[in-house]
Amino acid sequence: MSNMQDKVALVTGASSGIGRATAELFATNGAKVVVAARRGDELDALVAAIEAAGGQASAVQTDVSKSEDVQAMVQHAVGTFGRIDYAVNNAGIEGVFSAITELPDEEWDRVLGINLRGVFLCMKHQARAMLAAGQGGAIVNVGSVNSFLGFPTGSAYCTSKHGLIGLTTSVSAELAVQGIRVNLVCPGIVDTPMHHRARNLLGDEIYDQGVLPSVHLRRAGRPEEIAQAIVFLCSDAASYITGTTLTPDGGLTLTV
Ligand SMILES: NC(=O)c1ccc[n+]([C@@H]2O[C@H](COP(=O)([O-])OP(=O)(O)OC[C@H]3O[C@@H](n4cnc5c(N)ncnc54)[C@H](OP(=O)(O)O)[C@@H]3O)[C@@H](O)[C@H]2O)c1
């Protein structure tokens, strides 16, 4: 547990899975939390759950691929709670898995638009808000083991997640001198709705015989376990860590 009293955290993709668990963990640690995603009902339910547990939260419906939405999201956070100390850019989609010969141009643009352009837009406006407040901050982007590894039919998703390494390292170098740390968390297989959709797309056989045996801990991760890595990188316990990648993957990338 970290003491995050009087801190403000912004989490994108908070309506589900890893983002929801991260928002709840920030609130447990005492931070005020702004939760963003497209589905307003899910966000309202999360705000109610955080408030029922004694925390403070506010929801803002956002499509991270739209510049005007992202600007409004950051303005909402600053307008509601005064500033942003921690920003977690977690929103993402798996998209359609397809051979490159069949991958529609629009699908490539959709996946890159949310997973890569969305993180660019979020960081741009979050960094402006943090620099204006002049109190430093921490940004964590959510990549994937597919930030390092490809898989057949995964070109759009894997490209978007590989791109986050360049985005994270470059921006961490830009912002370090102003006291803003930027890191990347690259989860392996995590038990969320995205994981179940991906499993359906790949097929149970490929998953059970091809994917799961490469996880040395022999199980999928829980969203709460990824949230711990994200919140750690935001906390003062990580005060000398910037530009790095933390890979909570149960050992998935240890061996081929
Ligand atoms: N689960 C895994 O095995 C795994 C592994 C490695 C990396 N990851 C990464 O972890 C992150 C979270 O995934 P998850 O597993 O928690 O998936 P999830 O349960 O499907 O959640 C994805 C979240 O992203 C939001 N989102 C999607 N498109 C958005 C958009 N255009 N604007 C704003 N929010 C958007 C969704 O909310 P709305 O639909 O309400 O907008 C949802 O809250 C993703 O970046 C994913 O790539 C997941």
Side-chain angles (χ1 to χ4, degrees):
M1 285 270 292
S2 300
N3 183 355
M4 294 181 164
Q5 297 288 340
D6 302 323
K7 300 290 188 183
V8 179
L10 166 62
V11 181
T12 72
S15 61
S16 176
I18 294 168
R20 183 182 168 115
T22 301
E24 288 180 319
L25 186 57
F26 273 126
T28 301
N29 286 346
K32 303 178 183 85
V33 192
V34 176
V35 293
R38 294 167 302 183
R39 284 171 294 165
D41 289 351
E42 310 288 337
L43 294 177
D44 290 343
L46 174 58
V47 168
I50 289 173
E51 290 176 346
Q56 279 182 270
S58 179
V60 56
Q61 254 181 302
T62 308
D63 182 337
V64 296
S65 67
K66 295 183 177 160
S67 185
E68 61 275 18
D69 276 27
V70 173
Q71 290 181 59
M73 173 185 78
V74 169
Q75 279 167 9
H76 177 92
V78 174
T80 305
F81 291 130
R83 63 175 195 274
I84 300 169
D85 298 289
Y86 313 130
V88 178
N89 299 316
N90 161 80
I93 57 169
E94 70 280 12
V96 171
F97 295 162
S98 165
I100 193 155
T101 48
E102 309 306 320
L103 184 62
D105 301 356
E106 310 75 49
E107 184 61 8
W108 173 271
D109 290 343
R110 188 174 76 97
V111 174
L112 274 286
I114 294 173
N115 293 2
L116 188 54
R117 183 173 191 270
V119 177
F120 152 67
L121 291 171
C122 287
M123 292 178 83
K124 176 176 174 171
H125 294 288
Q126 292 157 356
R128 284 181 177 176
M130 288 176 178
L131 291 169
Q135 295 175 334
I139 298 174
V140 173
N141 299 325
V142 178
S144 165
V145 289
N146 297 119
S147 296
F148 324 111
L149 306 174
F151 65 92
T153 73
S155 57
Y157 183 76
C158 294
T159 301
S160 71
K161 293 298 184 180
H162 275 62
L164 292 179
I165 292 183
L167 188 55
T168 302
T169 52
S170 299
V171 178
S172 67
E174 278 176 33
L175 296 177
V177 72
Q178 283 109 342
I180 300 171
R181 296 182 297 102
V182 187
N183 290 290
L184 182 67
V185 166
C186 290
I189 297 167
V190 189
D191 189 4
T192 69
M194 177 185 286
H195 160 61
H196 291 284
R197 291 191 301 271
R199 181 180 172 131
N200 285 339
L201 286 170
L202 289 173
D204 287 348
E205 193 179 324
I206 290 182
Y207 178 82
D208 290 333
Q209 292 169 23
V211 180
L212 199 53
S214 61
V215 180
H216 288 270
L217 289 181
R218 294 288 185 268
R219 63 173 177 85
R222 298 186 295 277
E224 297 76 18
E225 294 175 302
I226 312 308
Q228 291 285 355
I230 295 169
V231 171
F232 160 70
L233 284 171
C234 290
S235 75
D236 287 347
S239 55
Y240 201 55
I241 302 177
T242 195
T244 60
T245 298
L246 184 56
T247 307
D249 69 349
L252 173 60
T253 49
L254 285 176
T255 53
V256 289

